[in-house]
Amino acid sequence: MDDTELTHLRAAIALAAEARAQGRHPFAALVVDGRGRVISTAMNNSRPPSGDPTQHAELCAVGAAARTVRPDELADATLFTSAEPCAMCAGAVYWTGVGRVVYALSESRLLELTGDNPENPTFALPCREVFARGQRAIEVHGPLLEEEAAVPHIGFWK
């Protein structure tokens, strides 16, 4: 992991803090193409009552990227996300063709922070397990910067 990639991951964490400040769940993601250009960003928009439970940041970011660039460019792209993609978001990564995922907060650490909060019924299903069932390889790096990524969640889920 080089400094540029850590900068992108920290940008996702900062967007997660911004999502919290806007009253959203504290998750965010961005997609960066193979040349290092940010092609999409997204914050979570699933919080009741006005949010859509399918509008996780990762799903929104890869969906926007898929509408912006060619499939061969997505294969060289990286999703940087403040937390490990859930099963739904891992599926979106797979179906959009994004080739690489870098995440900060692990699902297990997230569960420690959320507890049994009904707004985030965390899966005990790592994204690597979801990707392993697919027909193409997706490179995964994480968890990284977990303590930094935990900050926007501390006190939110109580």
Side-chain angles (χ1 to χ4, degrees):
M1 197 66 27
D2 65 24
D3 288 342
T4 300
E5 291 184 316
L6 290 175
T7 297
H8 289 311
L9 191 55
R10 284 189 170 105
I13 294 167
L15 276 173
E18 184 178 329
R20 178 182 177 160
Q22 292 181 16
R24 300 177 181 197
H25 290 151
F27 300 98
L30 52 105
V31 178
V32 177
D33 70 13
R35 296 181 309 276
R37 180 178 60 106
V38 175
I39 55 177
S40 67
T41 63
M43 292 183 277
N44 186 290
N45 191 28
S46 66
R47 189 160 194 200
S50 61
D52 174 342
T54 66
Q55 296 303 293
H56 289 192
E58 299 86 355
L59 186 148
C60 294
V62 297
R67 291 186 298 275
T68 305
V69 300
R70 297 184 321 264
D72 61 310
E73 292 175 289
L74 285 175
D76 291 332
T78 301
L79 171 71
F80 290 91
T81 180
S82 63
E84 183 173 359
C86 71
M88 176 180 70
C89 293
V93 169
Y94 180 81
W95 288 110
T96 57
V98 170
R100 189 165 174 260
V101 172
V102 177
Y103 69 88
L105 196 62
S106 67
E107 283 281 339
S108 59
R109 179 70 172 108
L110 178 62
L111 180 58
E112 291 173 13
L113 295 163
T114 64
D116 62 355
N117 189 300
E119 288 186 22
N120 194 51
T122 303
F123 275 101
L125 181 59
C127 68
R128 285 177 174 88
E129 290 185 32
V130 175
F131 296 145
R133 304 287 193 254
Q135 295 180 0
R136 65 178 182 81
I138 297 172
E139 184 181 335
V140 179
H141 297 274
L144 301 163
L145 308 175
E146 271 196 295
E147 292 313 307
E148 289 179 42
V151 171
H153 294 272
I154 294 171
F156 181 84
W157 301 101
K158 303 297 178 211

